[in-house]
Amino acid sequence: MTEQCPAPARDSRSAGTDSPLALAARDLVYEIDGTRIIDGVAIGARRGEFIGLIGPNGAGKTTLLKTVSGLLKQQDGAVWLQGTDLGEMSAGDVAKVLAMLPQLTPYTFGFTALEVVMMGRYPHMGRFQVEGAAERRLAIEAMRLTETDAFVERTVASLSGGERQRVFLARALAQQPKVLLLDEPTANLDVQYQLKALDLVRSLVGEGMTAIAAIHDLPLAARYCHRLVLMSKGRVLAEGTPETVLTPQNIEEAFGVRAVVYPDPLTGALTLSLVGPTHPDEATARGVRVHVVCGGGTGGRMMYELLRAGFEVTAGVLGAGDTDRRAADIMGVEYVPAPAFGGIDDDAHAAHLGLLDAAEVVVLCETPFGANNLRNLEALRGRSRLLTIQTRPFAERDYTGGEAQRLFDGLAPIARCAGPDEALAAIDETTRPSESDREGASEKGT
Amino acid sequence: MHPAIRSAVFLTVGIVLALAIAACGGSSPASTPVPPPPAPNPFAAVAGIVDPDNHGWPREVEGLNGRITIAAKPQRIVTLSVGHDEMTYALVPADRVVAVGSATKNPSYSNVAHLARDLPTISREPEVILAQNPDIMVTSPFVKVEIVESLSNAGLTVVQTSLENDPQARINNILFLGYIYGEEDRAVELAAEVQARFDALQAVVAAKPDSARPRVLSATRYSDKLYTAGAGSTEGGIIDGAGGVNVAALAGLERNPIISLESIIAMAPEVILIPQPLEFGAEEFRQDLLDNPALAEVPAIADRRVYLVSGILYTTLSFWNLRGTEDLAKILWPEDFAGKEFGPFSFPE
Amino acid sequence: MGIFARKAIGSYRTASVTARLAVGAGALGVLVLSAAIASLALGPLGIPVSHVAAIVLDRVGIDVADFTITEKLVVEQLRAPRILVGGLVGMALGVSGAALQGLFRNPMADPGIIGVSAGGATGAVLSIALGLNTLFFLALPLFSFAGAMGAAFLVYGIAAVGGRVSMPTLLLAGVAVSSFLGAVVSAVIVMVPADAALREILFWLAGGLDGRTWEHVRIAVGPILVGVAIITLLSRDLNLLMLGDEEARSLGVRVRLVRPLILATAALVTGTAVAFSGTIAFVGLVVPHMLRLLFGPDHRVLIPLSAAGGALFVVVADTIARTAVQPTELRVGIITALVGAPFFLFLLIRNKRQAEAF
């Protein structure tokens, strides 16, 4: 008796054919001692789809994989494997269709790598059948794909963690599954094999296999998976294409870190830089706004460090195509846009002055000045809490024939710093509440 | 019987049983030669009597547990072994024995069960023994040193003595025990009776030529294990005393080892004795021997000379095993002892 | 180990299951047969090997004559059943050891060490104490089986937290269960009336293969062969169980069914063996280990070969026990312990050195 296979609870735009779901689950609940590890999860994986499960430790990714593979029995909800209720399938029937690569490479008791890989053929063999040439060939082929064919005669115990991981991947492949579940498949692998392993899964998915992988490396997940499912506290927080799931808001909510997300310039896949954990009570995160005047790649690092330290950051006028403008975009820093080499018109200048007025501290980076951006310097005139970063004489970056030098000399910075770290310390010093303020605050607090 | 007492009784019997099994294997050290005819002072040559001429109280003896002074004639006697109880009942009036171990009350293990039936039962627990308020306790070497010591420390006179199974040491045991109990006359009388019956038997069997002596095997079976009696065992002594040849001793076996069934074929006995109580499967064992085709050529089996004999006569560590010797002599030499009935030994008036 | 030996073992370690099984079974078969013939020829009664051969051949209708009726009867009625019971007991213990090691994922598991044998002995003693063995001839084996089963599930319940069993937990649970059962046996001995039953218990506890007859062979052969067959059929599942319950389950093993089934079957064969020989220690430890070193851990090879190896070990040990100190006999357990106990210690030391021994 087979129940009708349901549509996934939340549809997504990927692999948008009406191909049947290879694996589907609805309203899944799994709890241990009253604690819900999985709390009402729905998931649907189409044929030929690679789904990445992401989320912080303890989000329920491994438990979800074990539940949908039948290793754990859910308390509520249902799982369908190729349209059949998993609860009505025997372990042997499941094993013919679904393979699972476990997270930790288990105890192996003296088996050789080949013996372990050939175990992947057991579900397809009769009880009285032993592995013959065909099974051996399939096993060796799987080992070749995972580049473990050199270990055929080695005992698994003598292999490194990464080598074992690949041997067990080979076993999962030897199982010739329609659905492959992988729990942190790249955890023990070095960079080269992380990419190779996922390339391999991706190519098998291209041939019609379905893969669901729990992956903690978000850029890898974004790069290889068709869809991502972001889990947090046993629930699905977001689901869809990497672009829709990997937003700074989602990441902050799930992982508690601020991140900047941007397309990798080489692969085009989303990548991200973590800005730092969110510490709402941290001393530096006081909502102090710092304005950075920069351009030509001189301000990226400064903005990044300020964000990391918890400051609100704005930037001056940045022309199209400017490296610092791209950095500001990635980090979500507000700035005044201007066309490339178009100079700063009055509107932009006025907007810039507005940002400057709203900032508590202003940092002038070691930016070269020419006619195009000279008004960025002009806007600083008369600013009181100004810091400059300066390692070389200003004349070396004056491309205005002295006008910039004149404006620069008219500034009265409170500090001249050698780099972002020094500047950060100075800003911290400038913006910290005075001793008396702090005492007053602590008296109030107690 | 109260369940707890029942358990205690069972435990005691178990221990005594184990002891009895062990005792069967006790080897006899060189015994002191005693001239069989009563000498002017028959106690002079008995090892352990400090002053053979002292027939008054206190008197001293050298036990296995050291020199012991006996203050007065013992009136409340306990012993911790069947062999000692059998000798004690033959030496003193029955009312001077105040308690016995449970094995002594069991007719399967003891020749004096009928005398001890109504006595309190003791175990090797010192408190149980002291509760009977004895004035002397005689023990075998198989009782733990700690028990002997703790009873001595509690003020009880304890004499630990050996139990021998060869004819001459048997006589010495009787005289030594008689001296301890202050029953020298009765001891001399009993020793003479035992010696006379032994001599009467020897008069017949000693004359037999070696070629006429039957090859005898003593065998018992417990839980499918076959035990035999080799050199130094009580049964072995009985076989020798009755004029047989102990094939187990001949095969180099000592005490009571386990053998295999086919060893019986190799030993080729002409007579097989089964000194095992009926309730322990003696008859089944006998039938299995007789029915086993592999053993058919063993002379004893071919001639159907496989005998169930009384365990208490063949394995006891008292002079009662002379009754076993007499019993076997009658089996081995039917013509010589035709019509002869051997009775029990005498008891004191 | 020299590099050549390593290489030689390596190359046949990767030989197919069938090839390894064939080589192992062939070699062990020849050894078992030789041991059986030697054992048939050895004993208090000197029977020449040629006579033994003639007696065996006579059975299958080949008449080469030259033996006495007594020789024939001794060989057929006394020595043969004892060798067969010994072989069956060895099979049972070897297979049960290999199965328990796989099931517990622990190389130290052995029916003796983890208390399964003690459970069987306790059951047997209870059946004697209650007098059931005299009423019904199968009572002792049945009680022994029940006791072995109880002990197996008890130790498993104590030690198997989360499927995998740690070495110290397993050994300690085995010690605890064994001493508990030892106490039960002592209590039974105290409470049983001092009659035939008590004697029977005391002598039964000594163990050994003395006086085994064709009747014993007939009763023991069924449960032991059936048990060995069941475990052999489940040997592929054992391979997977060894890698973990989830691994096994994801490769199609019905873990919840197969685990208790293997445990119960191991208890069945151990209990039967104990009923017919008392507790013979270390067979289940030594035999599978040696074979694992030679033929690898695959249970489809290991289980059948452990049956043959166990039979070989017990038959040889019993022949030594029977003949070493003629005309008396040693208990077979003394010989297996003399070999097994040092081996056990060697494994413990080696395990201490290597976190994962295999």
Side-chain angles (χ1 to χ4, degrees):
Chain A
M1 198 177 77
T2 313
E3 275 186 51
Q4 197 59 45
C5 176
R10 268 195 275 171
D11 214 333
S12 68
R13 62 177 177 80
S14 74
T17 65
D18 51 350
S19 60
L21 289 172
L23 186 73
R26 194 177 60 187
D27 303 332
L28 276 187
V29 172
Y30 185 82
E31 51 182 46
I32 301 172
D33 300 334
T35 306
R36 291 202 165 188
I37 312 296
I38 298 284
D39 188 5
V41 168
I43 194 170
R46 293 184 170 79
R47 193 168 172 275
E49 192 176 27
F50 188 178
I51 294 183
L53 279 182
I54 56 174
N57 294 334
K61 303 184 299 276
T62 298
T63 308
L64 179 61
L65 286 178
K66 286 181 178 174
T67 312
V68 297
S69 64
L71 293 182
L72 294 177
K73 179 78 186 129
Q74 71 274 13
Q75 278 86 3
D76 201 3
V79 180
W80 288 266
L81 181 58
Q82 296 195 319
T84 308
D85 188 340
L86 197 66
E88 292 171 9
M89 295 176 76
S90 74
D93 291 341
V94 173
K96 287 192 180 98
V97 179
L98 180 144
M100 167 105 178
L101 179 67
Q103 189 168 9
L104 294 170
T105 320
Y107 194 63
T108 54
F109 227 93
F111 284 110
T112 62
L114 179 62
E115 282 173 319
V116 165
V117 175
M118 279 205 287
M119 287 179 190
R121 297 307 304 158
Y122 286 5
H124 301 280
M125 288 154 50
R127 180 159 288 284
F128 297 98
Q129 196 186 339
V130 293
E131 311 73 284
E135 281 75 23
R136 212 179 162 90
R137 205 177 50 244
L138 276 169
I140 301 235
E141 178 55 30
M143 293 179 83
R144 200 164 287 141
L145 288 174
T146 59
E147 295 183 30
T148 52
D149 46 331
F151 309 142
V152 162
E153 295 189 9
R154 295 261 302 271
T155 60
V156 176
S158 72
L159 302 177
S160 74
E163 291 165 343
R164 281 187 194 204
Q165 187 89 340
R166 279 149 54 209
V167 167
F168 278 83
L169 178 60
R171 193 191 66 189
L173 298 183
Q175 212 173 329
Q176 295 187 311
K178 302 280 188 291
V179 177
L180 177 60
L181 306 181
L182 308 105
D183 197 354
E184 301 293 359
T186 56
N188 296 308
L189 302 182
D190 58 33
V191 183
Q192 176 201 4
Y193 284 111
Q194 287 184 358
L195 299 182
K196 284 186 173 177
L198 291 174
D199 276 337
L200 179 58
V201 173
R202 184 69 194 240
S203 78
L204 292 167
V205 164
E207 292 164 18
M209 193 179 78
T210 303
I212 303 178
I215 300 177
H216 71 273
D217 186 321
L218 299 179
L220 274 182
R223 177 166 164 192
Y224 283 98
C225 298
H226 295 120
R227 273 199 299 146
L228 297 181
V229 174
L230 173 61
M231 292 187 70
S232 174
K233 302 190 181 86
R235 292 171 169 275
V236 174
L237 196 65
E239 182 194 352
T241 59
E243 290 76 17
T244 57
V245 173
L246 286 182
T247 64
Q249 293 75 23
N250 281 342
I251 292 170
E252 178 152 6
E253 187 173 349
F255 294 93
V257 293
R258 270 171 297 164
V260 291
V261 184
Y262 52 97
D264 186 303
L266 301 180
T267 64
L270 279 190
T271 189
L272 71 169
S273 294
L274 298 181
V275 173
T278 316
H279 291 304
D281 303 325
E282 207 174 39
T284 52
R286 292 181 298 265
V288 174
R289 184 184 275 204
V290 178
H291 184 82
V292 179
V293 174
C294 56
T298 59
R301 168 101 197 282
M302 190 68 237
M303 289 187 281
Y304 178 72
E305 295 295 343
L306 284 166
L307 281 172
R308 263 172 60 94
F311 292 98
E312 276 181 48
V313 180
T314 54
V317 183
L318 293 169
D322 189 289
T323 313
D324 283 342
R325 179 166 167 173
R326 211 156 50 224
D329 280 337
I330 289 169
M331 289 183 272
V333 168
E334 190 187 343
Y335 59 91
V336 180
F341 310 112
I344 299 173
D345 61 18
D346 290 344
D347 286 351
H349 190 65
H352 189 197
L353 291 175
L355 286 179
L356 279 164
D357 289 344
E360 210 168 307
V361 182
V362 178
V363 180
L364 171 59
C365 296
E366 224 169 359
T367 310
F369 285 94
N372 268 319
N373 66 345
L374 190 63
R375 292 184 82 174
N376 265 343
L377 195 59
E378 197 184 312
L380 298 178
R381 187 185 297 146
R383 298 284 156 192
S384 54
R385 288 176 133 186
L386 172 71
L387 291 91
T388 60
I389 292 175
Q390 195 163 3
T391 54
R392 294 168 292 136
F394 186 81
E396 290 181 21
R397 50 188 167 105
D398 180 4
Y399 298 95
T400 58
E403 197 181 348
Q405 177 78 57
R406 195 174 43 80
L407 282 171
F408 183 77
D409 289 342
L411 299 177
I414 53 169
R416 288 171 193 272
C417 308
D421 296 338
E422 217 173 288
L424 205 63
I427 292 165
D428 203 39
E429 181 70 23
T430 314
T431 59
R432 183 177 297 155
S434 66
E435 289 299 315
S436 56
D437 287 352
R438 236 188 294 178
E439 273 164 29
S442 68
E443 265 168 34
K444 253 182 256 166
T446 45
Chain B
M1 212 188 295
H2 188 276
I5 300 174
R6 248 173 82 97
S7 310
V9 170
F10 298 152
L11 172 63
T12 315
V13 173
I15 290 166
V16 172
L17 175 87
L19 169 68
I21 295 162
C24 298
S27 66
S28 52
S31 50
T32 322
V34 171
N41 184 352
F43 298 95
V46 177
I49 296 174
V50 173
D51 177 6
D53 296 322
N54 174 15
H55 292 284
W57 304 95
R59 57 180 66 174
E60 286 183 317
V61 294
E62 198 69 54
L64 296 174
N65 55 332
R67 181 164 293 196
I68 308 295
T69 304
I70 303 163
K73 183 168 176 171
Q75 300 298 331
R76 298 183 59 80
I77 300 167
V78 294
T79 88
L80 277 184
S81 71
V82 180
H84 278 129
D85 280 334
E86 288 181 350
M87 285 192 278
T88 304
Y89 273 113
L91 290 168
V92 304
D95 59 1
R96 281 170 64 195
V97 180
V98 293
V100 294
S102 59
T104 302
K105 294 179 165 185
N106 187 333
S108 291
Y109 304 128
S110 146
N111 291 295
V112 293
H114 60 290
L115 294 169
R117 200 183 306 126
D118 300 324
L119 287 187
T121 309
I122 51 171
S123 66
R124 291 190 178 188
E125 190 57 48
E127 279 195 38
V128 176
I129 296 166
L130 292 172
Q132 298 304 326
N133 195 26
D135 52 20
I136 194 163
M137 182 175 83
V138 178
T139 75
S140 68
F142 312 115
V143 174
K144 275 194 209 158
V145 173
E146 293 81 7
I147 294 175
V148 172
E149 270 179 9
S150 65
L151 285 167
S152 306
N153 293 342
L156 181 62
T157 305
V158 183
V159 185
Q160 193 165 27
T161 114
S162 60
L163 280 167
E164 312 287 355
N165 57 18
D166 72 284
Q168 284 170 326
R170 255 180 339 229
I171 303 292
N172 275 0
N173 278 338
I174 291 170
L175 293 174
F176 187 54
L177 221 52
Y179 184 79
I180 289 169
Y181 295 148
E183 296 289 350
E184 292 91 322
D185 292 346
R186 171 61 192 153
V188 170
E189 184 187 309
L190 179 64
E193 178 187 346
V194 171
Q195 189 66 55
R197 284 173 69 157
F198 182 71
D199 292 343
L201 201 61
Q202 292 307 304
V204 179
V205 301
K208 301 291 181 189
D210 281 356
S211 57
R213 293 175 188 267
R215 299 165 57 82
V216 183
L217 177 74
S218 169
T220 50
R221 184 180 70 180
Y222 295 101
S223 188
D224 292 321
K225 286 178 186 58
L226 201 60
Y227 292 81
T228 188
S233 64
T234 306
E235 301 93 313
I238 287 172
I239 293 170
D240 295 341
V245 174
N246 185 1
V247 291
L250 216 56
L253 294 168
E254 287 178 10
R255 297 189 286 279
N256 293 74
I258 295 177
I259 56 166
S260 67
L261 213 50
E262 74 172 275
S263 295
I264 296 182
I265 304 172
M267 293 178 194
E270 293 160 300
V271 173
I272 296 175
L273 307 174
I274 304 176
Q276 181 172 2
L278 277 175
E279 65 262 37
F280 296 160
E283 180 54 36
E284 291 84 345
F285 177 37
R286 177 169 175 273
Q287 275 312 317
D288 287 349
L289 288 178
L290 290 172
D291 295 345
N292 195 323
L295 300 178
E297 291 186 358
V298 173
I301 286 159
D303 301 340
R304 304 193 76 73
R305 296 192 73 189
V306 181
Y307 300 96
L308 301 185
V309 296
S310 162
I312 55 175
L313 298 182
Y314 280 71
T315 58
T316 178
L317 283 170
S318 79
F319 60 90
W320 275 92
N321 61 33
L322 176 56
R323 273 284 293 112
T325 315
E326 292 167 344
D327 187 68
L328 180 58
K330 206 172 154 183
I331 291 171
L332 298 184
W333 316 103
E335 320 80 55
D336 295 284
F337 296 99
K340 178 101 176 96
E341 285 301 325
F342 297 103
F345 293 96
S346 66
F347 285 97
E349 303 294 298
Chain C
M1 204 193 292
I3 186 154
F4 292 109
R6 223 177 247 288
K7 234 181 151 147
I9 285 178
S11 60
Y12 79 76
R13 274 284 280 104
T14 52
S16 75
V17 169
T18 335
R20 274 182 281 162
L21 195 54
V23 169
L28 281 171
V30 168
L31 287 172
V32 170
L33 216 60
S34 321
I37 288 175
S39 187
L40 279 176
L42 288 167
L45 223 57
I47 304 176
V49 180
S50 61
H51 290 203
V52 172
I55 291 163
V56 173
L57 290 173
D58 187 61
R59 263 282 144 199
V60 292
I62 302 167
D63 182 19
V64 281
D66 233 23
F67 53 83
T68 69
I69 290 297
T70 299
E71 284 175 343
K72 177 179 161 72
L73 289 169
V74 165
V75 168
E76 286 184 356
Q77 297 302 318
L78 303 184
R79 293 182 187 172
R82 179 168 181 161
I83 291 165
L84 283 172
V85 172
L88 285 170
V89 165
M91 262 174 123
L93 296 177
V95 165
S96 137
L100 291 175
Q101 283 149 27
L103 201 63
F104 285 80
R105 279 170 226 148
N106 189 314
M108 288 299 174
D110 162 88
I113 291 165
I114 67 168
V116 178
S117 297
T122 308
V125 165
L126 280 174
S127 80
I128 302 172
L130 298 172
L132 298 174
N133 62 319
T134 53
L135 297 178
F136 175 47
F137 73 109
L138 281 179
L140 194 145
L142 284 175
F143 267 65
S144 180
F145 165 49
M149 179 101 100
F153 279 89
L154 188 61
V155 170
Y156 186 73
I158 296 169
V161 181
R164 166 114 198 248
V165 183
S166 83
M167 186 96 64
T169 315
L170 179 71
L171 296 182
L172 288 176
V175 167
V177 169
S178 295
S179 6
F180 172 74
L181 293 169
V184 169
V185 168
S186 301
V188 168
I189 289 173
V190 169
M191 287 189 294
V192 143
D195 58 9
L198 178 63
R199 263 199 167 201
E200 182 75 17
I201 289 171
L202 292 176
F203 287 100
W204 187 87
L205 281 174
L209 290 163
D210 322 73
R212 301 295 92 175
T213 64
W214 284 104
E215 181 66 16
H216 294 119
V217 177
R218 271 189 286 276
I219 303 170
V221 71
I224 289 180
L225 288 187
V226 166
V228 168
I230 290 174
I231 293 178
T232 306
L233 287 182
L234 295 174
S235 52
R236 198 166 78 192
D237 304 78
L238 266 173
N239 281 351
L240 297 177
L241 281 172
M242 229 161 39
L243 301 189
D245 279 5
E246 288 181 352
E247 288 283 295
R249 164 80 206 196
S250 76
L251 283 165
V253 177
R254 278 183 286 175
V255 176
R256 280 165 194 278
L257 175 75
V258 168
R259 250 181 192 287
L261 181 59
I262 293 175
L263 198 58
T265 312
L268 168 70
V269 295
T270 306
T272 310
V274 167
F276 289 98
S277 67
T279 54
I280 299 178
F282 296 113
V283 178
L285 186 75
V286 174
V287 170
H289 266 92
M290 301 290 252
L291 293 170
R292 210 176 276 121
L293 283 178
L294 290 170
F295 296 98
D298 192 320
H299 286 89
R300 290 167 299 174
V301 179
L302 190 63
I303 296 287
L305 294 191
S306 290
L312 177 67
F313 186 35
V314 171
V315 167
V316 169
D318 188 47
T319 307
I320 294 170
R322 225 152 47 75
T323 55
V325 289
Q326 277 197 46
T328 184
E329 300 198 345
L330 292 174
R331 277 189 292 123
V332 59
I334 294 175
I335 306 296
T336 60
L338 280 176
V339 178
F343 188 78
F344 177 66
L345 294 176
F346 160 74
L347 288 178
L348 270 183
I349 291 163
R350 201 180 69 152
N351 262 342
K352 211 168 63 181
R353 296 220 183 102
Q354 298 163 249
E356 191 174 312
F358 291 83

